[in-house]
Amino acid sequence: MIKLVTYLYNTSQIDQFSESEVSEVIISNNLFSRFGEHTVEESIQLATLAKNSGLKTVFEWDKLSTEDEHEVLKEKFSKIDLSSFDSIRIQDLGALFYVASNFKKLKLQLVLETAHHNSYSFSTYFDLFPGQIERVILSIELESSDLAKIVKNIPVPCEILGLGRILLFYTPRSLISPLVFDHDDLKEIKYFEVEGNSQESPHKGFPIIENSRGTYMFNTSDFCLLEQIEELSQIGMKYFRFDNRFLSLSLENMISLLLKEFKLEKAKEIKSLYPNRVIRGFYHRNKSDVLFPKLKNQHTQRRDDQFLGEVFHVKKNEWLGIILHSDRPLELQSKIKIITPEGKEKHLTIFKLEDSMSRNAFNTQRGRFYKINYIKGVTTKSSVYFV
């Protein structure tokens, strides 16, 4: 049976988890973890209480460190009483080599969610640290067929994210606060969250978090394999992780009911009530290569006198949003040709021409955004030409 793993960040969760199907809790801290708020001492106290309640406890070290920071962390780690922790979860390779070389009795959980997509890459770790690795955390970028092969070939149990945010980008640098706050205010800032929009595409609303350990950007959709938990169990996946760190209290309470008695029907209900859009990522099929034909191909490179602009946004059945790259005015009754990134040609006559505020546009200008009448089959990055 697949076991459930989640994050423990306050004492009130201990009874809740110990009475549920959660078998193991990850305990973060504000020195070694990306998102932990407890001091190391507070995390030890939390681990002691959780362990006394029958939960397996895991120390988390997933922070990325510079060379100087890593030296400081090594010294601090060497003084930590780890007796309340059953295992340590590590992502940074430098930290892994340090811990594996100096604390040989510690059981290691390797977070290999990035850059590990074949069994050979995993086997390297088992050759380097024989007998020390108790689990591998796999990437959500793997297709189900690849997961099945890797799980079969790895000699220890595997874990995968079941529900939670999708981290797109992480740097230990502070990228947002210098743009938002005065320098003198930075000392008081420990955590804040903003939304980011793409300047090159219509995608917007990316959650961006900055704390004392860096800056993180997440996908606008969360990752969810709640309905695939039985499939994962059948291929041999042993651990399923709920990332509860960014959930509202009401949603966390709903999921706690699911954790108490895990049933597929309840999982589907939770998914339907989940406030954010959820995706399965590449679980069924990795289709990320379909975007490559849209990147700098011959269909989007023509820039002659007839070039008018580029389709920037498509509102299905309503309008096409274009950015003008021509000084020639675009007018009602103008005849244009649109060439999609795939090379398909669409011809239409302009009978709708509005600015970004949906007001009638009479004098178009280079560099401005305009809405024209919709035509089926046109996608963003399509090129627009006068006929």
Side-chain angles (χ1 to χ4, degrees):
M1 181 178 177
I2 202 163
K3 297 181 178 178
L4 305 179
V5 180
T6 192
Y7 292 84
L8 177 68
Y9 49 84
N10 65 56
T11 54
S12 64
Q13 294 173 305
I14 294 177
D15 289 341
Q16 173 187 326
F17 290 158
S18 59
E19 294 173 358
S20 71
E21 294 190 15
V22 172
S23 63
E24 180 178 311
V25 289
I26 305 164
I27 301 175
S28 309
N29 61 77
N30 61 8
L31 193 58
F32 296 86
S33 307
R34 297 177 181 182
F35 297 109
E37 297 300 326
H38 295 296
T39 64
V40 172
E41 292 73 21
E42 290 170 338
S43 71
I44 292 173
Q45 295 172 9
L46 202 55
T48 303
L49 294 172
K51 193 166 185 175
N52 291 338
S53 296
L55 293 168
K56 181 175 179 178
T57 55
V58 181
F59 185 96
E60 185 182 53
W61 186 347
D62 65 346
K63 178 184 181 297
L64 296 184
S65 308
T66 63
E67 184 71 24
D68 292 340
E69 289 173 335
H70 184 62
E71 292 301 317
V72 173
L73 290 180
K74 286 197 303 184
E75 182 180 354
K76 292 183 178 295
F77 186 82
S78 66
K79 299 176 181 177
I80 297 175
D81 177 6
L82 294 168
S83 59
S84 295
F85 293 95
D86 297 292
S87 306
I88 179 169
R89 175 171 294 227
I90 298 184
Q91 180 147 4
D92 182 86
L93 285 180
L96 170 62
F97 273 85
Y98 167 71
V99 173
S101 302
N102 295 279
F103 303 86
K104 294 188 178 296
K105 291 184 179 180
L106 272 180
K107 292 299 182 184
L108 308 175
Q109 296 183 1
L110 306 188
V111 182
L112 303 181
E113 293 180 313
T114 58
H116 295 81
H117 286 199
N118 61 77
S119 300
Y120 300 103
S121 64
F122 294 105
S123 65
T124 304
Y125 293 95
F126 296 104
D127 294 338
L128 289 172
F129 312 113
Q132 290 181 268
I133 302 171
E134 70 167 11
R135 188 183 312 164
V136 169
I137 292 85
L138 300 177
S139 171
I140 62 172
E141 296 177 4
L142 293 167
E143 296 180 9
S144 57
S145 56
D146 292 329
L147 283 173
K149 294 174 185 175
I150 291 172
V151 167
K152 182 179 179 180
N153 292 325
I154 289 182
V156 297
C158 296
E159 173 189 312
I160 194 164
L161 175 66
L163 179 67
R165 277 182 163 177
I166 301 173
L167 181 63
L168 298 177
F169 169 83
Y170 167 44
T171 173
R173 295 184 296 159
S174 300
L175 298 184
I176 307 300
S177 55
L179 304 176
V180 180
F181 301 98
D182 292 334
H183 180 75
D184 292 339
D185 296 333
L186 298 182
K187 295 177 182 177
E188 305 299 326
I189 298 168
K190 295 182 179 179
Y191 178 100
F192 64 93
E193 182 168 352
V194 297
E195 286 190 353
N197 300 328
S198 171
Q199 292 184 333
E200 300 175 345
S201 73
H203 300 109
K204 58 185 179 180
F206 293 93
I208 301 175
I209 289 175
E210 181 181 312
N211 62 17
S212 60
R213 282 136 283 170
T215 307
Y216 318 80
M217 185 174 80
F218 298 89
N219 198 330
T220 53
S221 300
D222 290 355
F223 188 73
C224 178
L225 290 182
L226 284 177
E227 294 173 295
Q228 284 69 42
I229 193 168
E230 291 184 352
E231 294 176 21
L232 290 165
S233 181
Q234 289 171 1
I235 67 171
M237 191 71 68
K238 296 299 183 185
Y239 292 90
F240 194 77
R241 186 172 79 259
F242 286 92
D243 189 347
N244 56 346
R245 294 174 294 182
F246 309 103
L247 299 178
S248 64
L249 181 61
S250 59
L251 183 60
E252 192 175 343
N253 289 335
M254 285 194 295
I255 292 180
S256 69
L257 297 175
L258 177 67
L259 301 181
K260 194 168 185 178
E261 186 182 8
F262 195 92
K263 301 291 184 184
L264 182 59
E265 292 74 18
K266 283 190 176 181
K268 291 180 178 178
E269 182 182 354
I270 291 290
K271 182 182 175 183
S272 68
L273 296 173
Y274 199 74
N276 301 332
R277 180 174 177 264
V278 294
I279 57 175
R280 293 189 297 268
F282 305 130
Y283 182 75
H284 286 311
R285 185 184 175 192
N286 189 335
K287 298 180 180 178
S288 56
D289 56 349
V290 301
L291 294 175
F292 286 103
K294 295 184 179 183
L295 301 175
K296 292 187 177 181
N297 64 58
Q298 58 179 340
H299 305 303
T300 60
Q301 298 305 299
R302 180 183 154 193
R303 294 291 188 271
D304 53 32
D305 291 341
Q306 296 298 101
F307 180 62
L308 172 61
E310 181 179 80
V311 176
F312 183 73
H313 187 52
V314 177
K315 186 71 171 179
K316 187 176 181 181
N317 297 325
E318 296 187 24
W319 47 263
L320 304 179
I322 61 173
I323 299 290
L324 290 192
H325 294 300
S326 172
D327 291 324
R328 291 179 59 182
L330 180 64
E331 302 170 331
L332 292 175
Q333 303 304 317
S334 296
K335 296 184 182 300
I336 63 172
K337 176 173 67 177
I338 300 176
I339 301 180
T340 70
E342 294 79 17
K344 298 177 182 176
E345 290 191 10
K346 300 285 183 178
H347 292 257
L348 77 159
T349 300
I350 302 295
F351 62 80
K352 172 179 181 175
L353 183 59
E354 299 177 343
D355 63 15
S356 59
M357 302 297 289
S358 300
R359 299 172 298 199
N360 290 329
F362 300 105
N363 298 302
T364 59
Q365 298 179 33
R366 174 193 284 268
R368 296 292 182 85
F369 175 88
Y370 297 98
K371 300 175 183 177
I372 63 173
N373 36 301
Y374 175 81
I375 184 171
K376 186 178 180 181
V378 173
T379 61
T380 57
K381 297 292 185 183
S382 297
S383 296
V384 186
Y385 302 89
F386 285 109
V387 175

